[in-house]
Amino acid sequence: MAEKEYIEKSKLISDIECIDICDCTDIDDIFIEVERTIDEQPTADVQKVRHGKNVTPFHPADEFICSECGVAFKEMSEYIIEDDVYREFYFKFCPNCGAKMDKT
Ligand SMILES: [Zn+2]
């Protein structure tokens, strides 16, 4: 199976609308021009979003265990954000596998 490629939909539509069909003698010529326009579209580097959650049995601000890859960070209860100001910290994404921490 061929690797998926992702293109910008609005740019493709705009480029297809700009095809000059006056130079086309029949429907096959139009199809060839549309296919050429699609082939010339720049592709984006897109990665499928993985979803996970922090599965620690403790408070999620004290420990992080990724449900997807199992990486664990312990004793992370307080981090200095500003001078003498401590705040709880939660991972929005796993720093190891990149899973988004939004699974319930
Ligand atoms: Zn992970």
Side-chain angles (χ1 to χ4, degrees):
M1 189 164 125
E3 185 174 325
K4 290 183 180 179
E5 294 178 294
Y6 296 88
I7 57 176
E8 186 181 331
K9 182 179 173 183
S10 60
K11 181 180 181 319
L12 173 62
I13 291 170
S14 174
D15 289 353
I16 287 174
E17 288 173 348
C18 290
I19 293 173
D20 185 4
I21 59 171
C22 295
D23 295 336
C24 300
T25 56
D26 58 25
I27 192 71
D28 288 338
D29 284 351
I30 294 173
F31 180 77
I32 289 168
E33 282 301 310
V34 169
E35 187 175 28
R36 183 190 56 76
T37 302
I38 293 170
D39 284 342
E40 290 176 350
Q41 294 298 302
T43 57
D45 188 15
V46 177
Q47 188 173 25
K48 185 177 179 183
V49 177
R50 295 174 62 185
H51 299 272
K53 64 181 179 181
N54 184 353
V55 293
T56 179
F58 304 108
H59 191 280
D62 295 335
E63 182 179 83
F64 174 84
I65 302 172
C66 177
S67 64
E68 301 307 296
C69 71
V71 72
F73 296 89
K74 300 180 185 286
E75 298 177 20
M76 46 177 256
S77 62
E78 293 177 335
Y79 286 83
I80 298 173
I81 302 296
E82 299 165 13
D83 290 342
D84 299 327
V85 176
Y86 293 85
R87 300 233 170 97
E88 290 182 338
F89 181 88
Y90 302 92
F91 286 112
K92 293 179 181 172
F93 293 88
C94 174
N96 186 53
C97 73
K100 190 173 184 179
M101 295 292 111
D102 61 355
K103 215 178 209 179
T104 55

